[in-house]
Amino acid sequence: MCGILGSINLAFGEDTLETIYHRGPDSGAIKSFTIGDNTIYLGHRRLAIVELTEAGYQPMSTKQQDFVIVFNGEIYNHLELRDKLKEIEFKGNSDTETILYYLAKFGIKGVKDFNGIFSFCLLDRINQKIYLVRDHFGVKPLYYFLNEAKELMFSSEIRPLRHYKRKLTIDKENIAELLKLRYNPAPDTVYEGILKVRPGHILEYNLKDNTSSICNYIDPIQITKDYSFSQAVDKYGQLFEAAVQRQLMSDVEIGTLLSGGIDSALVTYFAQKHSKNKIKTYTVGFEENEFANEIEDAQKSADFLNTDHHNIIISSNNFKKVFEETCRIVEEPLGTTSILPMYYLNEAISKDLKVVLTGQGADEPLGGYTRYKGEILAHKYPSFMFQLAGPIANYTKKEKWIRAAQSLSIKDDIKRWENIYSLFTDKEIASLIGIKDSKSYDKIAYYYNLLNCKEKRGVEGMMAVDLRMNLADDLLMYTDKVSMNFTIETRVPMLDTELIRFLESLPYDYKIADGETKKIHKAFAREVLPEEIINRPKKGFMSPTEKWFREELGEYYIQMIKESNSTYFEVFSKNAVLDIFEQHKKGFNREKQIFTLLSMYYLFTE
């Protein structure tokens, strides 16, 4: 796992590369190449996980110097790929060297064969092209800017681009999109001109005429009934275990993030089964005895799994300092409060390990979220029933019920999903920043069409879109940024490409049926885990900010906003922001909205 940085016709030095030093403190280098009128600069910071010797150093070239790569990630099936490269005499055992020669032989579309997490730049000196590529589900981020002056710069993080350009301009339309979805889906960021490569996509830059194009390597999966449910459970179990075993590929020690839930417990079970030593596991919890606190449940799971377990306990005392720090680390504003416990978790892990496995990525392909149940209901019952439920939902003051009542009566799939995802209403966005419409509908529509969602049942399409949009640029994005800030590689066995290909081929009722989510997942888990773990209510990786924002912490921020003369209020209405705090104090849960607004505030005041 590493950090990459590169450019066309924009010279950069070690000072720029050092802005991503935390992603790879083990080694680093910059090389330049001249092709025609263009000079290409490739930089790399390495975190050595596989092949710890100089044989894994980057930028890496083929023997004939025809192809050059800078790569961030892990390719778990790289030894299988090597079987197709019998003619190559490899210098070492790194997956980087494997994929470099694989792409040289089979072309850029060979990336479809990669089972792993990655973003990379490949320089093809023969055909005079550069390719920027992001993995199937967007586990590893890849940012870039491209201008009319034949200049391109890309990186694993925004930080080097900011360092080079010095000042970035906030894009107000993208702020509206952020307020709608609580994150910016690729290719957008909150910054004007700074873009992200979409998951499963390739940006091709032709050095002959300085033109660029973007294509995808996503193959939409057809739903089949090739397996009975019991057969599907058996097949799922085989693929799940193989995925975890595959992701233990490492020349350094590996641990796991262990919550109180089923996903991380199942990952840890097989990680321990296929490890020679006792696995280290880590859980974060809070001093407050809240529902979200998973310390006790995780400890019971660790006892069953017989791991070397570590608990990290946090409180609200350091919230302000850590919140501001996480905003700096994540770079893009988000409305996801679990960023904070993730910070503490990785800070503790960094004292022991460089690699951890996590159960992230299970909810989207397995139907783990409540919204998937709602999506099934939207196709089952007439719309007027949801309209009638509106007043009842408002009375509960529960955000997800209010949003469901407002959304499930909408017939258009994309519009319904947009409303289900919405963090702020269109009216609130207009009040906050004066823009009535966001581009979020178009972003959902892009994947809706790409994945042939019209041919699927509503919930199947929604899960497919979530897997490549919401997951990538929210949860996976902040996980990458926070973990790599502490020089830790986080792996996600649930997003193994073979496992996902199988899951997406199954009908939705193998995953959600009779009010139960993750049906096939739980059926398999019963073969190895006790019912106590399987039947625990889902708590999620949460922070008790709902409570904190109603107490002293909330008052602190209200006073800060009232007294502030930040340029933030050149874009945001101060009264509208304060109104969100007031609603929260009255009992409506607006913690995610407050979190998003504050993360934007710190962006403006950097």
Side-chain angles (χ1 to χ4, degrees):
M1 200 63 67
C2 308
I4 64 174
L5 171 63
S7 67
I8 300 172
N9 301 324
L10 291 170
F12 61 85
E14 290 290 343
D15 58 335
T16 304
L17 183 60
E18 289 298 291
T19 62
I20 53 171
Y21 178 87
H22 52 278
R23 298 188 72 94
D26 294 330
S27 65
I30 301 171
K31 293 183 180 179
S32 63
F33 308 85
T34 300
I35 297 178
D37 296 331
N38 298 293
T39 302
I40 297 92
Y41 302 88
L42 298 178
H44 190 262
R45 289 297 328 177
R46 185 176 189 225
L47 176 63
I49 303 295
V50 175
E51 181 56 79
L52 307 183
T53 72
E54 292 184 9
Y57 283 10
Q58 300 182 47
M60 185 181 290
S61 303
T62 54
K63 188 175 182 180
Q64 296 77 20
Q65 305 292 309
D66 292 335
F67 294 86
V68 189
I69 196 169
V70 282
F71 169 71
N72 169 32
E74 302 289 352
I75 307 300
Y76 305 116
N77 66 332
H78 87 98
L79 293 179
E80 297 167 35
L81 300 178
R82 281 199 177 194
D83 289 339
K84 299 179 183 180
L85 302 169
K86 299 291 189 184
E87 71 280 11
I88 303 299
E89 185 177 338
F90 290 98
K91 292 181 180 178
N93 299 309
S94 80
D95 49 344
T96 306
E97 190 178 14
T98 301
I99 65 168
L100 172 62
Y101 282 98
Y102 195 87
L103 294 170
K105 180 176 182 178
F106 295 105
I108 196 63
K109 283 300 180 82
V111 71
K112 294 172 75 168
D113 300 331
F114 297 177
N115 189 345
I117 54 179
F118 54 85
S119 62
F120 65 83
C121 170
L122 178 74
L123 170 60
D124 178 348
R125 302 179 73 182
I126 297 174
N127 296 303
Q128 299 185 29
K129 290 183 178 181
I130 276 183
Y131 300 97
L132 301 183
V133 188
R134 193 173 177 197
D135 65 60
H136 300 77
F137 307 113
V139 181
K140 306 311 296 179
L142 184 54
Y143 298 92
Y144 69 97
F145 69 75
L146 177 63
N147 62 30
E148 295 177 358
K150 303 177 182 179
E151 296 171 334
L152 167 73
M153 181 171 269
F154 65 87
S155 180
S156 300
E157 296 186 5
I158 297 173
R159 200 161 284 109
L161 311 185
R162 177 194 289 276
H163 183 267
Y164 190 89
K165 294 187 78 169
R166 298 301 174 185
K167 183 168 176 60
L168 300 179
T169 303
I170 301 293
D171 187 316
K172 199 169 180 179
E173 284 192 4
N174 288 357
I175 292 177
E177 182 180 72
L178 166 72
L179 295 176
K180 190 73 173 178
L181 297 176
R182 86 177 183 194
Y183 68 97
N184 282 119
D188 294 341
T189 71
V190 76
Y191 297 108
E192 188 176 298
I194 303 296
L195 302 172
K196 294 179 279 194
V197 177
R198 280 186 166 111
H201 283 63
I202 302 167
L203 186 153
E204 176 185 309
Y205 190 95
N206 191 325
L207 294 161
K208 296 175 185 176
D209 57 10
N210 295 95
T211 58
S212 63
S213 61
I214 295 174
C215 67
N216 76 84
Y217 59 92
I218 296 172
D219 291 326
I221 306 298
Q222 299 299 315
I223 309 297
T224 67
K225 285 255 187 181
D226 292 344
Y227 298 86
S228 68
F229 182 73
S230 61
Q231 289 172 330
V233 171
D234 290 341
K235 179 69 173 176
Y236 176 72
Q238 294 166 16
L239 291 171
F240 188 99
E241 182 170 1
V244 176
Q245 188 173 8
R246 195 179 283 126
Q247 296 199 20
L248 292 173
M249 178 187 83
S250 176
D251 292 327
V252 299
E253 185 181 1
I254 295 179
T256 70
L257 306 186
L258 183 65
S259 70
I262 182 177
D263 306 331
S264 60
L266 202 54
V267 167
T268 302
Y269 176 88
F270 287 107
Q272 186 65 80
K273 177 180 176 180
H274 294 286
S275 298
K276 295 178 182 178
N277 303 314
K278 195 178 247 194
I279 286 277
K280 290 186 175 73
T281 53
Y282 299 82
T283 302
V284 65
F286 309 95
E287 286 184 353
E288 292 89 342
N289 188 24
E290 300 291 324
F291 179 70
N293 205 332
E294 296 193 289
I295 288 289
E296 185 177 338
D297 289 343
Q299 186 63 59
K300 290 178 181 177
S301 295
D303 292 342
F304 170 77
L305 297 165
N306 192 30
T307 66
D308 178 7
H309 191 61
H310 305 260
N311 290 318
I312 298 97
I313 308 296
I314 64 177
S315 72
S316 63
N317 294 340
N318 295 344
F319 179 91
K320 294 190 287 291
K321 180 181 177 182
V322 171
F323 180 46
E324 190 168 353
E325 176 66 2
T326 57
C327 290
R328 181 196 67 80
I329 292 167
V330 177
E331 303 182 297
E332 296 187 71
L334 292 175
T336 308
T337 58
S338 50
I339 295 172
L340 297 172
M342 183 64 78
Y343 175 93
Y344 285 103
L345 196 56
N346 281 275
E347 183 182 44
I349 293 169
S350 66
K351 298 176 177 66
D352 304 323
L353 302 173
K354 294 168 76 172
V355 186
V356 290
L357 305 185
T358 174
Q360 286 181 341
D363 288 309
E364 288 77 9
L366 286 163
Y369 292 126
T370 303
R371 63 175 173 263
Y372 300 136
K373 294 180 184 178
E375 183 64 13
I376 293 172
L377 295 176
H379 285 265
K380 190 174 183 180
Y381 296 107
S383 60
F384 75 86
M385 292 184 65
F386 301 107
Q387 293 170 348
L388 292 174
I392 300 171
N394 284 324
Y395 179 77
T396 67
K397 297 184 178 181
K398 293 187 180 296
E399 181 196 23
K400 65 179 180 181
W401 297 116
I402 295 170
R403 193 163 61 235
Q406 293 170 343
S407 307
L408 296 181
S409 61
I410 300 171
K411 289 300 182 184
D412 177 78
D413 286 346
I414 300 170
K415 190 66 180 175
R416 182 174 63 257
W417 298 354
E418 182 189 34
N419 274 265
I420 289 171
Y421 299 146
S422 290
L423 184 64
F424 290 94
T425 65
D426 291 339
K427 184 178 178 180
E428 287 174 331
I429 294 170
S431 174
L432 284 162
I433 62 171
I435 292 181
K436 293 182 179 179
D437 300 312
S438 78
K439 299 180 289 183
S440 53
Y441 183 95
D442 295 336
K443 296 301 185 300
I444 300 167
Y446 176 84
Y447 280 108
Y448 185 88
N449 295 321
L450 179 63
L451 299 168
N452 293 332
C453 293
K454 194 172 183 180
E455 305 302 318
K456 297 180 171 73
R457 282 174 284 194
V459 70
E460 292 166 344
M462 189 184 205
M463 290 160 65
V465 170
D466 286 358
L467 184 58
R468 294 162 179 88
M469 192 177 85
N470 306 41
L471 179 63
D473 292 313
D474 184 5
L475 188 148
L476 293 176
M477 188 273 286
Y478 80 71
T479 297
D480 171 85
K481 297 285 186 63
V482 174
S483 62
M484 290 304 291
N485 177 73
F486 291 104
T487 319
I488 295 168
E489 173 180 306
T490 301
R491 298 179 176 180
V492 279
M494 285 302 311
L495 297 181
D496 177 271
T497 56
E498 290 185 24
L499 182 63
I500 294 296
R501 193 176 296 119
F502 173 71
L503 278 174
E504 289 203 303
S505 74
L506 299 176
Y508 80 84
D509 56 0
Y510 280 26
K511 307 163 206 176
I512 314 170
D514 304 319
E516 181 183 18
T517 62
K518 299 183 178 178
K519 186 178 177 183
I520 190 173
H521 189 57
K522 293 174 182 175
F524 169 62
R526 287 188 175 93
E527 297 179 12
V528 295
L529 297 178
E531 286 290 335
E532 179 191 5
I533 295 176
I534 295 166
N535 294 327
R536 282 174 187 153
K538 182 179 177 64
K539 296 181 180 180
F541 191 28
M542 301 297 289
S543 165
T545 46
E546 178 183 358
K547 177 173 176 282
W548 294 348
F549 285 150
R550 288 198 179 98
E551 298 172 344
E552 281 185 31
L553 190 64
E555 290 300 325
Y556 167 82
Y557 284 118
I558 289 171
Q559 199 60 36
M560 180 189 76
I561 290 166
K562 285 180 177 178
E563 297 174 359
S564 175
N565 58 1
S566 167
T567 55
Y568 175 78
F569 296 111
E570 294 175 9
V571 176
F572 284 84
S573 162
K574 184 174 287 194
N575 288 336
V577 172
L578 289 170
D579 186 56
I580 300 298
F581 277 89
E582 189 61 31
Q583 292 173 35
H584 190 72
K585 286 172 66 176
K586 289 179 178 178
F588 290 93
N589 184 4
R590 309 309 304 272
E591 66 169 321
K592 292 176 183 176
Q593 289 82 356
I594 290 172
F595 199 90
T596 305
L597 292 172
L598 289 174
S599 66
M600 279 296 308
Y601 179 86
Y602 285 120
L603 190 75
F604 274 85
T605 53
E606 282 185 316

